[in-house]
Structures are given as structure tokens and as C-alpha cells.
Amino acid sequence: MRTFLTAACAALLLGAAPAALAAAQPGAAPAVAPILTTPEARDVMTYARPEIARVTHVDLDLEVDFQEQILRGTATLSVLAQPGAKEIILDTDSLAVTRVTDDQGRALAWSLGAAEPEKGAPLTVQLNGAQRIVVHYAARPGASALQWLPPQMTAGKQKPFLFSQGQAILNRSWIPTQDSPGIRQTWTARLVVPEGLMAVMSADRLTPEGEPAGAGRRAFRFAMDKPVPPYLIALAVGDLAFRPLGPRTGVYAEPSMLDRAAYELADTEKMVDVAEALYGPYRWGRYDVLVLPPAFPYGGMENPTLTFLTPTFITGDRSNVNLVAHELAHSWSGNLVTNATWPDGWLNEGFTSYFENRIMEGMYGRARAVLEADLDWDILMREIELAGGMEAPTTRLRGDDGEESGQIDYIKGSLFLRTLETILGRERWDAYLTSYFNRHAFQPQTTAGFLADLRAHEIKGDKALEAKLQLDAWAYGTGLPDNAVRLRSEALAAVDAQTQTFIAGGKAAALKTADWSTQEWLRFIGNLPRQMAADRLADLDAAFNLSRSPNAYVRSAWLELAIANRWEPAVPALEDFLHSVGRTLFLRPLYRELVAQGDWGRAIAERAYRTARGTYHASTAAAIDALLNK
Ligand code: BES
Ligand code: ZN
């Protein structure tokens, strides 16, 4: 006979009653978040079997050892198991596990299975009735989520730096837990770090100054009381300072970066207000931003309460704050409603890119939003071409296991939602999207689940509307459905006119570029012919110093063009760039173009990579390895 309690547990495990769980307050965080058990929600990248036994809370107690580049300590996991379940399976990758106990210190039997590439190895623990298990372990120096920076790779050049990057399945290299986006967990942590360094994490920061922890060390404590997918657990340790930006926003950066960072981020508080006015309350408490050293592999990462950002977004004119809008938008699409598995990643990135653009419109007006959408269209077309054209399978939104979809998730995904907005009307669409976030708050979602929700709440059997929307073609088909809404920017049309004058033989000095932002420069460089005479490249570089531009977006776009022309004068600046920036978005196109240029380019790529690879995050190195080994 099942007791009432186990019946309730079974309902939780099976995700049977999410609405009932959240009933107290619509969209409030449930203590234990439901999981999805439909076939399309199955995550092949985890060893976990959450329907049998799952982790509901992670408590980390870790010492950060910069000398050995090791995190060492314990992870105490709260377990919700089906009646009669004997074991729980966790994900690990290269962890050194020394023992596992229950919370009374009694040893539990455990075993590590065979490791698979990327997926790592299953850690199976015999529960023996335990509801909390303690894993004693260390994360090895090569842990794929972690990047340990020597002082010379920081702005201050005095102290080391450590950060983590969990998405997609890297956190199992430093946290032994069920590392699947559909298995939400609350968490707490204590980090012990050397005196003189600050530790921050993607949670409430309970001890901003830290506490003495003996022997020249300080301890920092953190708590996330809302269930999150484990890829959103993040840490950074370094010589950090904090400055408030508004009542609930602020910026962490190395002291020498703080002024420039705070200037660039001045609009952050207002962005949170604009986002809330669009799609409902910001549910995470504070929204702070951490500016990392240039080795950070992404533009940004939406770690809850603490967005991680590349310093390359700082160009002195605030022209790349769409990056902040993007990471902030993930506080709804991604962090609140989460792709159940990574092949459904467009539910995170496509929704977020759409929301990002709406925030930009709310902040800076329609023209700015249209300008960014217009540029995105170009990027999408290039991406579809690279994928092999409109029929290429990798142009589908709902992906296959293991494939990389890159910009398709972002731009095709946001075009899909813009098309829905246009057909349904903005007012109706916005009301729907707000209700969607409330209905699915703190839950995983699938492509099929989203379409079913939209049909149930908006389409309601209207055949004509269904035909107009082409939902299945968007979600499951290749290329672009013919109802895609393309926006065209007048400001970019003006740039295009100047580009044509230059291409027709005009002088670089005659171009009116004084008020060009990053976006206008990118449009200009992107529309120059891929083949240009050396004297034309030299004219541009002399006029605008593009090879050494302090704007990394402009510089990398220009260097890509220079490579395509095997233009030698840019090679030293290229080599410097490859050694100073770790952002994959910039590096991949450069290495790709070098490889496309045959022996000439490959020699440059391999020479630079030999010394630069060690300065890249494991995910960046993996992406470049794949390019160079083709
Ligand atoms: N979540 C992503 C970063 C990411 C993507 C990490 C894939 C791991 C795997 C983040 O929100 C993102 O999309 N960043 C973009 C921002 C841009 C689209 C404004 C980036 O890094 O460039
Ligand atoms: Zn994103």
C-alpha cells in the first residue's frame, strides 16, 4: 500500500501535477519542481534516471586551491526516491571521488562506470534508505567547466582568477549531480578561497565580504532557493570589486575595469523594468552583472542573479548592450522556463533573442530594434548557407541529439516568434507570452509542449489561423517558412549607400563614419566584396585603424575580411587578437577563414593555436580543434 506521502512523491516525480504544485501563487517557485517524462523530453546526455531517484537540492562545501588548480570538498545531495528505489545515478566527468556517505557519516557503496566522451561517467550510489548523500571529491585541474587564469590573463595582472561555465553539460566536471536541464534543483554553497580574493556565485550572496576561514583564507556562502537546472550553477573567484547600478542591479569587475564597466552598463536597472513590463515579474531578486577577463568563452551567460559577460562588449559607446538585454531575457526564457533537453535549445535561445529585441525596442525605440533585426537577418542567411542551404537538416529549430545549431536557434527562433507576433497582433501575443511564462514557471519545456500550449490557449481549433501560422514548418522544418517577417532598417540602408560609393571606387576618407556604432561598422564590413585589392584594404585600414580597432566586434570582422584576401599587413594584429581574446564567437570565424585559405592560412592558424590554445576555455578549444582537424 502506498502512503499518501509516497503517492505525492510519485506525482512529483512523474511531473503529474505542476499546476497544483504552483497553485499557492501563480508562477511561484515550488519546493520540488516537476520533471517531464514524455518521450521527446528524454535527455540522452545524462545518466540520471530521475523517474526512479532524483536530486532535489545540492549543498556544496568546496575549497578553491589555486596552487593545484583543484576544487576539493563535498557535495551533499538531497534525494527524492521512488518507494523501493535502491540506487541513484549521478553525472560526473573526471571527478576524483574518494568516498560517499549518508548524512550520518555512514559509508555508502558507490561505483563509477565507464566514461564516454563529453558525457563523462555515471556515479551510482546505493542509497540504503538515505535521503541525503555526501560525495567527497575533488574536481581535477582539467575540469572542462573551469578556467583557471594566471595573473597575466587578468586586467590587474597581480592575482589569479577562476570562473566556471556550465552550459551545456560541463558542470558535471566540478559538481557530482544529475546534470540535465530538465532536473531542477535548489542549491547552497560555501566556497573557501585565499585571502584577498572575492568569490561570487549565481545565487543570493549571503556574505558579500566573506568570513574568516583560518590560515589566510575566507569563506563565502550562497543560497539559491528556487529550483534551477544545474547548468546555471556558476562561480567566479578573483580580485573583484562591486558597484551598485540601481536598487536591485550592480556590477562586479576587477577594480581597474569597474569605471568602464559601470559606464557601459548604466541602463541596466531600467532594462529590468522594461523587461518586467513586457512579460511579468523578474523572479530572481537581484540582477547583477559580472565582467570577466577576455578569456571568457561567450559574450554572456545568463547565470541567475549574476549574468557573466565578456569584457569585449565594452566599446565605450554602449552599442552592445543588447548582450545585457539578451542575458536578462533569459531570466524568463531559459532560467524560468527551460529547454527540457539541449535539442530543444531554441526554446531558450530563440525566445530570448526575440525578448532581447523587444527590450531593445522598449529601451531605445523601434529603429534600434529594427536595425538589430536587420543585421540578424544577414547573419542567419550566412548561417543557412554555411549549413548547406534551405534544405539542410541543421537548419531545423528542433535539433537532433548531439548536433550544433549555432545561430539558427537564435535568429530563426526569434523570427518565428516575431512572425507569431505579427499574425496574432502584438497585444494578443504579449498577453499570451506573459501567461505562458507564468504557466510554465520553474518547469522544463519541449518544442511539442510549447506548440500544444499555443494551440490550447490561442489557436483553439481555428483552422484558418493554424494554416497562416505554419507552426510545424517553423518548429520541425528546414530553412525558412514563407511567412517569415523581415524587417529593414533605414539607418542600415544609409550605410549600404555609402558602401556602394566606396565599392565604386570612393576613398575611405570620404566615408561619413563619425557616428557609426558597432552595428553600422559590421554592416559596412559585412557588405564589402569578399575579394578586394590590397590598396583598397590598405586605404580602409589607414583611415580607420581597423586591424587594431579597440572594438573587438569591428576588429574581428575586419580581420576575417583581411584573411579572405590573404592580406599580410593584418597578420600581426590577427595573431595578437588570437592570443588575447577567448570569445568563441570571434575566434571561430577567424580560424574557419584561415583554414579556408589553404596552406597560407593553415600555417598561421596552427602557429597561433599552438601557443593560444592553452589560454582558451575547454569549450572554445573543442570548437577550434574541430575546425582545424577537418
Ligand atoms: N546561453 C548563451 C551562451 C551559451 C551558448 C553557452 C551555448 C553555452 C552554449 C548566452 O545566453 C548567449 O546566447 N550568448 C550570446 C549573446 C548574444 C546572442 C547577444 C553570446 O555569447 O554571444
Ligand atoms: Zn542566450
Side-chain angles (χ1 to χ4, degrees):
M1 261 298 283
R2 270 184 178 165
T3 65
F4 168 75
L5 192 70
T6 51
C9 286
L12 287 173
L13 282 164
L14 298 173
L21 288 171
Q25 187 189 324
V32 175
I35 56 170
L36 290 175
T37 51
T38 48
E40 94 277 4
R42 204 181 111 73
D43 179 5
V44 302
M45 297 313 281
T46 183
Y47 291 103
R49 301 187 56 195
E51 68 286 358
I52 295 172
R54 55 175 290 204
V55 175
T56 58
H57 181 84
V58 180
D59 179 35
L60 299 171
D61 191 351
L62 296 171
E63 160 127 33
V64 179
D65 181 340
F66 277 95
Q67 242 83 54
E68 306 281 332
Q69 302 197 338
I70 281 174
L71 299 181
R72 194 184 301 108
T74 56
T76 302
L77 310 176
S78 305
V79 175
L80 179 62
Q82 283 285 36
K86 293 208 161 42
E87 57 186 38
I88 185 165
I89 308 176
L90 310 172
D91 294 301
T92 71
D93 183 8
S94 314
L95 295 183
V97 177
T98 48
R99 63 201 174 97
V100 183
T101 66
D102 66 13
D103 56 2
Q104 305 303 308
R106 284 183 290 252
L108 296 175
W110 57 277
S111 65
L112 266 180
E116 286 179 45
E118 283 184 72
K119 200 170 165 182
L123 170 60
T124 305
V125 177
Q126 301 305 317
L127 289 169
N128 205 8
Q131 291 176 340
R132 276 155 60 88
I133 61 174
V134 186
V135 182
H136 299 252
Y137 73 103
R140 293 209 165 90
S144 58
L146 303 178
Q147 196 168 0
W148 301 84
L149 305 180
Q152 60 273 24
M153 286 179 69
T154 67
K157 315 261 183 249
Q158 302 297 317
K159 294 179 180 173
F161 201 103
L162 166 67
F163 67 83
S164 70
Q165 164 58 44
Q167 191 184 351
I169 56 168
L170 304 180
N171 267 351
R172 59 192 68 178
S173 71
W174 68 284
I175 309 172
T177 190
Q178 296 181 319
D179 188 12
S180 172
I183 311 176
R184 307 180 80 94
Q185 298 148 43
T186 54
W187 62 276
T188 44
R190 177 173 176 268
L191 294 180
V192 175
V193 309
E195 196 81 58
L197 297 179
M198 184 192 285
V200 291
M201 292 188 85
S202 52
D204 293 338
R205 290 168 283 283
L206 304 177
T207 52
E209 311 292 324
E211 306 162 329
R217 304 174 309 173
R218 290 188 88 71
F220 292 79
R221 290 183 292 109
F222 307 91
M224 170 52 72
D225 63 1
K226 297 156 191 79
V228 294
Y231 72 89
L232 293 176
I233 305 176
L235 63 75
V237 182
D239 181 14
L240 292 173
F242 175 77
R243 181 174 303 167
L245 296 165
R248 55 177 163 173
T249 56
V251 54
Y252 294 88
E254 287 188 65
S256 68
M257 294 289 293
L258 202 54
D259 283 340
R260 292 203 307 140
Y263 177 86
E264 213 76 10
L265 292 163
D267 288 346
T268 305
E269 183 79 27
K270 188 175 166 211
M271 268 193 186
V272 183
D273 297 340
V274 165
E276 284 191 311
L278 281 165
Y279 298 125
Y282 177 77
R283 290 171 164 89
W284 304 92
R286 293 197 57 82
Y287 182 73
D288 293 320
V289 161
L290 168 68
V291 177
L292 289 125
F296 187 64
Y298 293 101
M301 180 64 211
E302 64 270 25
N303 299 314
T305 75
L306 186 63
T307 281
F308 283 25
L309 291 183
T310 173
T312 62
F313 92 101
I314 301 174
T315 47
D317 61 356
R318 301 178 180 157
S319 68
N320 309 302
V321 293
N322 69 298
L323 176 64
V324 183
H326 179 97
E327 305 313 336
L328 170 64
H330 273 304
S331 305
W332 287 256
S333 40
N335 299 1
L336 196 59
V337 183
T338 309
N339 50 215
T341 68
W342 294 110
D344 270 330
W346 79 274
L347 290 175
N348 279 17
E349 297 302 344
F351 273 61
T352 294
S353 298
Y354 171 79
F355 193 170
E356 164 198 339
N357 198 255
R358 292 295 305 275
I359 295 172
M360 292 304 285
E361 177 173 338
M363 293 288 296
Y364 307 108
R366 178 81 180 159
R368 173 70 179 269
V370 169
L371 183 147
E372 294 190 351
D374 190 338
L375 266 178
D376 272 352
W377 180 276
D378 294 348
I379 298 172
L380 179 62
M381 290 306 131
R382 214 163 299 154
E383 189 85 3
I384 290 176
E385 202 179 295
L386 269 172
M390 291 288 187
E391 257 102 73
T394 53
T395 63
R396 298 180 201 277
L397 280 181
R398 160 72 203 193
D400 286 333
D401 294 328
E403 95 189 355
E404 282 243 350
S405 63
Q407 302 280 332
I408 301 283
D409 280 356
Y410 292 76
I411 309 179
K412 182 177 172 182
S414 73
L415 266 178
F416 180 16
L417 299 201
R418 184 173 302 122
T419 302
L420 295 178
E421 176 206 316
T422 308
I423 295 174
L424 291 173
R426 182 172 273 196
E427 210 175 316
R428 182 173 168 194
W429 165 250
D430 283 354
Y432 166 74
L433 200 47
T434 306
S435 74
Y436 171 83
F437 287 132
N438 285 332
R439 264 194 302 283
H440 301 280
F442 301 103
Q443 293 169 44
Q445 182 59 292
T446 62
T447 298
F450 163 59
L451 295 185
D453 186 274
L454 184 66
R455 287 185 166 116
H457 291 92
E458 282 304 322
I459 304 177
K460 297 178 178 156
D462 181 337
K463 294 249 165 52
L465 181 56
E466 178 76 49
K468 253 199 234 164
L469 294 173
Q470 306 190 44
L471 300 179
D472 292 314
W474 274 102
Y476 301 112
T478 64
L480 276 188
D482 59 17
N483 61 357
V485 173
R486 179 175 183 183
L487 301 179
R488 289 173 202 268
S489 153
E490 283 173 27
L492 291 182
V495 173
D496 294 347
Q498 290 212 62
T499 312
Q500 290 317 315
T501 314
F502 178 78
I503 292 173
K507 286 268 168 270
L511 289 162
K512 293 180 189 58
T513 63
D515 56 355
W516 278 6
S517 65
T518 299
Q519 288 73 23
E520 276 122 343
W521 275 109
L522 291 182
R523 174 72 154 225
F524 172 71
I525 295 169
N527 278 349
L528 290 172
R530 291 295 90 183
Q531 291 308 305
M532 289 175 68
D535 67 318
R536 300 296 282 157
L537 292 167
D539 184 29
L540 282 170
D541 209 15
F544 305 115
N545 198 19
L546 297 170
S547 296
R548 298 277 174 189
S549 171
N551 181 322
Y553 300 78
V554 172
R555 182 168 170 186
S556 65
W558 167 256
L559 291 172
E560 192 183 339
L561 179 67
I563 297 166
N565 288 280
R566 302 190 190 184
W567 193 56
E568 291 282 349
V571 172
L574 169 67
E575 288 176 332
D576 289 348
F577 190 80
L578 297 177
H579 281 95
S580 58
V581 173
R583 188 175 176 185
T584 317
L585 182 82
F586 294 146
L587 293 174
R588 203 202 314 246
L590 294 174
Y591 281 105
R592 188 194 283 133
E593 192 58 50
L594 282 169
V595 170
Q597 293 306 316
D599 293 346
W600 177 85
R602 187 168 271 281
I604 296 169
E606 280 172 1
R607 189 172 62 235
Y609 196 48
R610 215 170 296 138
T611 43
R613 189 179 189 281
T615 71
Y616 296 162
H617 187 268
S619 62
T620 311
I624 308 301
D625 285 350
L627 273 178
L628 292 182
N629 294 334
K630 252 197 208 140

mmCIF file of all heavy atoms in Angstrom, residues 47-63:
data_model
loop_
_atom_site.group_PDB
_atom_site.id
_atom_site.type_symbol
_atom_site.label_atom_id
_atom_site.label_comp_id
_atom_site.label_asym_id
_atom_site.label_seq_id
_atom_site.Cartn_x
_atom_site.Cartn_y
_atom_site.Cartn_z
ATOM 1 N N TYR A 47 23.129 10.426 -17.415
ATOM 2 C CA TYR A 47 22.978 9.043 -16.970
ATOM 3 C C TYR A 47 21.833 8.918 -15.964
ATOM 4 O O TYR A 47 21.430 7.813 -15.602
ATOM 5 C CB TYR A 47 24.268 8.559 -16.302
ATOM 6 C CG TYR A 47 25.429 8.394 -17.265
ATOM 7 C CD1 TYR A 47 26.455 9.335 -17.323
ATOM 8 C CD2 TYR A 47 25.494 7.297 -18.120
ATOM 9 C CE1 TYR A 47 27.521 9.186 -18.197
ATOM 10 C CE2 TYR A 47 26.557 7.145 -19.006
ATOM 11 C CZ TYR A 47 27.568 8.091 -19.031
ATOM 12 O OH TYR A 47 28.615 7.938 -19.899
ATOM 13 N N ALA A 48 21.348 10.066 -15.481
ATOM 14 C CA ALA A 48 20.358 10.052 -14.405
ATOM 15 C C ALA A 48 19.069 9.354 -14.841
ATOM 16 O O ALA A 48 18.695 9.390 -16.014
ATOM 17 C CB ALA A 48 20.049 11.488 -13.992
ATOM 18 N N ARG A 49 18.409 8.739 -13.866
ATOM 19 C CA ARG A 49 17.074 8.192 -14.099
ATOM 20 C C ARG A 49 16.141 8.818 -13.070
ATOM 21 O O ARG A 49 15.776 8.208 -12.074
ATOM 22 C CB ARG A 49 17.110 6.669 -14.008
ATOM 23 C CG ARG A 49 18.087 6.090 -15.057
ATOM 24 C CD ARG A 49 18.043 4.601 -15.127
ATOM 25 N NE ARG A 49 16.699 4.111 -15.397
ATOM 26 C CZ ARG A 49 16.341 2.843 -15.218
ATOM 27 N NH1 ARG A 49 17.206 1.960 -14.780
ATOM 28 N NH2 ARG A 49 15.108 2.465 -15.477
ATOM 29 N N PRO A 50 15.799 10.092 -13.335
ATOM 30 C CA PRO A 50 15.100 10.881 -12.315
ATOM 31 C C PRO A 50 13.732 10.323 -11.952
ATOM 32 O O PRO A 50 13.218 10.611 -10.877
ATOM 33 C CB PRO A 50 14.979 12.266 -12.963
ATOM 34 C CG PRO A 50 15.079 12.014 -14.431
ATOM 35 C CD PRO A 50 16.013 10.847 -14.576
ATOM 36 N N GLU A 51 13.154 9.521 -12.846
ATOM 37 C CA GLU A 51 11.845 8.955 -12.514
ATOM 38 C C GLU A 51 11.975 7.897 -11.416
ATOM 39 O O GLU A 51 10.985 7.519 -10.788
ATOM 40 C CB GLU A 51 11.151 8.405 -13.776
ATOM 41 C CG GLU A 51 11.772 7.178 -14.419
ATOM 42 C CD GLU A 51 13.086 7.464 -15.177
ATOM 43 O OE1 GLU A 51 13.511 8.638 -15.245
ATOM 44 O OE2 GLU A 51 13.694 6.502 -15.673
ATOM 45 N N ILE A 52 13.193 7.441 -11.164
ATOM 46 C CA ILE A 52 13.423 6.463 -10.091
ATOM 47 C C ILE A 52 13.986 7.147 -8.839
ATOM 48 O O ILE A 52 13.488 6.954 -7.742
ATOM 49 C CB ILE A 52 14.366 5.341 -10.574
ATOM 50 C CG1 ILE A 52 13.667 4.562 -11.699
ATOM 51 C CG2 ILE A 52 14.744 4.406 -9.424
ATOM 52 C CD1 ILE A 52 14.543 3.565 -12.405
ATOM 53 N N ALA A 53 15.013 7.940 -9.030
ATOM 54 C CA ALA A 53 15.578 8.677 -7.887
ATOM 55 C C ALA A 53 16.216 9.952 -8.423
ATOM 56 O O ALA A 53 16.972 9.913 -9.394
ATOM 57 C CB ALA A 53 16.614 7.828 -7.157
ATOM 58 N N ARG A 54 15.889 11.073 -7.794
ATOM 59 C CA ARG A 54 16.406 12.341 -8.314
ATOM 60 C C ARG A 54 16.928 13.239 -7.209
ATOM 61 O O ARG A 54 16.517 13.157 -6.054
ATOM 62 C CB ARG A 54 15.308 13.078 -9.090
ATOM 63 C CG ARG A 54 14.055 13.287 -8.274
ATOM 64 C CD ARG A 54 13.056 14.116 -9.024
ATOM 65 N NE ARG A 54 13.514 15.487 -9.149
ATOM 66 C CZ ARG A 54 12.693 16.533 -9.332
ATOM 67 N NH1 ARG A 54 11.399 16.341 -9.435
ATOM 68 N NH2 ARG A 54 13.175 17.745 -9.425
ATOM 69 N N VAL A 55 17.849 14.119 -7.636
ATOM 70 C CA VAL A 55 18.412 15.111 -6.722
ATOM 71 C C VAL A 55 17.466 16.308 -6.691
ATOM 72 O O VAL A 55 17.055 16.809 -7.739
ATOM 73 C CB VAL A 55 19.796 15.567 -7.215
ATOM 74 C CG1 VAL A 55 20.338 16.685 -6.326
ATOM 75 C CG2 VAL A 55 20.764 14.384 -7.242
ATOM 76 N N THR A 56 17.131 16.779 -5.479
ATOM 77 C CA THR A 56 16.282 17.975 -5.373
ATOM 78 C C THR A 56 17.042 19.175 -4.816
ATOM 79 O O THR A 56 16.603 20.306 -4.968
ATOM 80 C CB THR A 56 15.067 17.706 -4.466
ATOM 81 O OG1 THR A 56 15.540 17.303 -3.173
ATOM 82 C CG2 THR A 56 14.182 16.621 -5.058
ATOM 83 N N HIS A 57 18.164 18.922 -4.127
ATOM 84 C CA HIS A 57 18.951 20.027 -3.564
ATOM 85 C C HIS A 57 20.417 19.625 -3.526
ATOM 86 O O HIS A 57 20.749 18.480 -3.215
ATOM 87 C CB HIS A 57 18.467 20.370 -2.145
ATOM 88 C CG HIS A 57 19.214 21.524 -1.521
ATOM 89 N ND1 HIS A 57 18.872 22.846 -1.756
ATOM 90 C CD2 HIS A 57 20.302 21.546 -0.703
ATOM 91 C CE1 HIS A 57 19.717 23.630 -1.090
ATOM 92 N NE2 HIS A 57 20.595 22.870 -0.444
ATOM 93 N N VAL A 58 21.280 20.596 -3.854
ATOM 94 C CA VAL A 58 22.728 20.372 -3.811
ATOM 95 C C VAL A 58 23.323 21.347 -2.803
ATOM 96 O O VAL A 58 23.033 22.546 -2.867
ATOM 97 C CB VAL A 58 23.366 20.654 -5.194
ATOM 98 C CG1 VAL A 58 24.874 20.431 -5.148
ATOM 99 C CG2 VAL A 58 22.716 19.816 -6.273
ATOM 100 N N ASP A 59 24.124 20.841 -1.887
ATOM 101 C CA ASP A 59 24.833 21.710 -0.943
ATOM 102 C C ASP A 59 26.335 21.477 -1.129
ATOM 103 O O ASP A 59 26.837 20.394 -0.840
ATOM 104 C CB ASP A 59 24.401 21.387 0.497
ATOM 105 C CG ASP A 59 25.146 22.255 1.501
ATOM 106 O OD1 ASP A 59 25.422 23.432 1.184
ATOM 107 O OD2 ASP A 59 25.475 21.754 2.598
ATOM 108 N N LEU A 60 27.024 22.510 -1.613
ATOM 109 C CA LEU A 60 28.452 22.367 -1.906
ATOM 110 C C LEU A 60 29.288 22.977 -0.789
ATOM 111 O O LEU A 60 28.942 24.039 -0.263
ATOM 112 C CB LEU A 60 28.808 23.083 -3.216
ATOM 113 C CG LEU A 60 28.115 22.586 -4.482
ATOM 114 C CD1 LEU A 60 28.399 23.544 -5.649
ATOM 115 C CD2 LEU A 60 28.576 21.172 -4.814
ATOM 116 N N ASP A 61 30.368 22.326 -0.432
ATOM 117 C CA ASP A 61 31.336 22.900 0.508
ATOM 118 C C ASP A 61 32.711 22.644 -0.110
ATOM 119 O O ASP A 61 33.217 21.527 -0.057
ATOM 120 C CB ASP A 61 31.184 22.236 1.879
ATOM 121 C CG ASP A 61 31.981 22.994 2.946
ATOM 122 O OD1 ASP A 61 32.758 23.911 2.577
ATOM 123 O OD2 ASP A 61 31.825 22.678 4.145
ATOM 124 N N LEU A 62 33.292 23.680 -0.713
ATOM 125 C CA LEU A 62 34.476 23.457 -1.544
ATOM 126 C C LEU A 62 35.585 24.436 -1.221
ATOM 127 O O LEU A 62 35.346 25.637 -1.029
ATOM 128 C CB LEU A 62 34.117 23.601 -3.031
ATOM 129 C CG LEU A 62 33.114 22.584 -3.600
ATOM 130 C CD1 LEU A 62 32.705 22.987 -5.014
ATOM 131 C CD2 LEU A 62 33.718 21.177 -3.583
ATOM 132 N N GLU A 63 36.787 23.921 -1.201
ATOM 133 C CA GLU A 63 37.975 24.762 -1.066
ATOM 134 C C GLU A 63 38.550 25.006 -2.461
ATOM 135 O O GLU A 63 38.690 24.077 -3.266
ATOM 136 C CB GLU A 63 38.996 24.042 -0.182
ATOM 137 C CG GLU A 63 40.414 24.550 -0.354
ATOM 138 C CD GLU A 63 41.047 24.939 0.975
ATOM 139 O OE1 GLU A 63 40.711 24.285 1.978
ATOM 140 O OE2 GLU A 63 41.862 25.890 0.990
#
